[in-house]
Amino acid sequence: MPTIKINNADIYYEDSAPNDTKKPVMVFAHGLLWNTRMFDKQIEHFKNDYRCIAFDFRGQGQSQITKSGYDMESLTEDALALLDALNIKKCHLLGLSMGGFVAQRIAIKDPSRLLSLTLLETSADSEDPKLAPQYRKLMKAIRWLGMKRVSNKVMPIMFGQTFLSDKTRKREQKEWLTMLQSNRKGGVLKATEGVIERKGTYKQLDQIKTPTLIIVGDEDAATPYEKAERMHFAIDGSKLAVIKGAGHTATVEEPEQVNEAISRFLEQCA
């Protein structure tokens, strides 16, 4: 799969139908510590009817680690530049967690680019001052011990207990643990700093007029239901879907529920 030079960074992306100009476009933006693989089940489900594009943010997945450019505003510029480079005039944009921070900013800054907005497991607030020290402690551990040594502590943040305690899904659990451990230290530290230092968008949410779906897992400990409800009340006309038995990575934990919620929403948009 290709990479493309965006704002002095080689950005990795996957495009399900690069030569198809007739299908509507869906663009997927992943969460912190992950990559395009977060959306494999969604792309498999939607690719017959949509041109599906997923990409890795700089410093994560297979994209280049750069010295700077990890704040949410810069990542937003990267995403918009990718759309320009691929000649995407309008798209259905889906952002999970950190990808949701970016997706909100695109909806506020350049709404003409969006057909719809789906915000998964995310928040419109800046980082909770009570949690920031914990994340900085985690960053310190990653810096000195490496990602592999701290990955078992990160998994319960990323996944709900239903998924983690399901003995029939041990192979999946191991696959995602291995993927988490494969993160490159330099990229992880820079990306995490960008998330911790982000500014909130809550006061600007009333500017979003794009049809919006908000999705949250009922076991999401990182961005719980209250965060989703707060965005839902602030974005006029938005829809809110709760995914049962899912934590912070509902696209992986309960893909069928997520796909059904997105499908219903897109039908309404049409």
Side-chain angles (χ1 to χ4, degrees):
M1 287 292 179
T3 60
I4 191 167
K5 183 71 78 173
I6 299 290
N7 296 333
N8 298 313
D10 291 324
I11 300 298
Y12 172 85
Y13 72 99
E14 299 181 0
D15 189 338
S16 69
N19 300 315
D20 193 326
T21 58
K22 294 183 179 180
K23 285 181 179 177
V25 178
M26 296 179 76
V27 175
F28 299 84
H30 68 81
L32 180 66
L33 305 182
W34 300 117
N35 52 54
T36 59
R37 299 278 71 76
M38 291 192 83
F39 300 109
D40 280 352
K41 296 291 178 65
Q42 285 66 53
I43 291 171
E44 183 64 29
H45 181 81
F46 288 105
K47 68 180 182 180
N48 287 339
D49 298 315
Y50 295 84
R51 176 184 173 187
C52 296
I53 298 170
F55 67 97
D56 292 343
F57 284 107
R58 62 173 66 208
Q60 300 185 75
Q62 298 182 62
S63 289
Q64 181 183 357
I65 299 176
T66 57
K67 289 184 178 180
S68 60
Y70 295 87
D71 60 280
M72 295 304 110
E73 285 65 36
S74 294
L75 296 183
T76 298
E77 292 301 327
D78 285 352
L80 288 169
L82 178 65
L83 294 181
D84 289 339
L86 298 178
N87 198 31
I88 305 299
K89 303 298 184 186
K90 289 181 176 290
C91 70
H92 298 280
L93 179 60
L94 300 89
L96 191 151
S97 192
M98 185 187 77
F101 303 153
V102 170
Q104 291 171 57
R105 284 164 170 77
I106 292 175
I108 293 165
K109 178 186 172 100
D110 201 351
S112 65
R113 305 298 294 265
L114 302 186
L115 296 167
S116 74
L117 174 68
T118 299
L119 302 173
L120 306 101
E121 323 290 354
T122 193
S123 166
D125 300 308
S126 55
E127 193 56 64
D128 187 337
K130 295 178 182 177
L131 295 178
Q134 297 178 33
Y135 288 125
R136 293 198 182 281
K137 186 177 180 180
L138 179 64
M139 288 174 65
K140 188 175 181 179
I142 293 171
R143 182 176 286 113
W144 292 106
L145 301 175
M147 195 68 208
K148 193 169 185 178
R149 293 282 294 274
V150 302
S151 56
N152 284 316
K153 292 188 176 181
V154 175
M155 287 289 282
I157 299 173
M158 295 297 181
F159 297 97
Q161 282 305 306
T162 297
F163 174 77
L164 292 176
S165 62
D166 189 340
K167 293 180 180 179
T168 67
R169 302 183 74 176
K170 280 194 175 297
R171 183 175 177 179
E172 279 182 88
Q173 295 162 16
K174 186 175 181 180
E175 287 175 355
W176 288 94
L177 176 63
T178 300
M179 194 181 303
L180 192 63
Q181 294 171 342
S182 70
N183 273 292
R184 296 163 294 169
K185 186 191 297 186
V188 164
L189 294 174
K190 292 175 185 292
T192 304
E193 183 72 22
V195 166
I196 293 173
E197 295 295 331
R198 76 184 185 278
K199 297 176 182 177
T201 55
Y202 179 76
K203 292 182 179 178
Q204 298 168 283
L205 291 185
D206 61 352
Q207 298 176 32
I208 296 179
K209 306 303 179 186
T210 302
T212 301
L213 170 65
I214 298 164
I215 293 177
V216 63
D218 64 359
E219 298 178 11
D220 189 343
T223 51
Y225 174 81
E226 291 75 20
K227 297 279 188 182
E229 186 181 59
R230 181 168 155 83
M231 291 189 297
H232 172 50
F233 289 149
I235 301 175
D236 188 41
S238 64
K239 310 293 184 183
L240 177 61
V242 178
I243 306 302
K244 295 180 180 178
H248 194 57
T249 317
T251 55
V252 173
E253 298 169 82
E254 291 293 335
E256 291 182 3
Q257 286 188 59
V258 171
N259 293 346
E260 177 62 26
I262 295 171
S263 294
R264 286 198 308 266
F265 171 64
L266 292 177
E267 288 172 6
Q268 293 170 356
C269 291

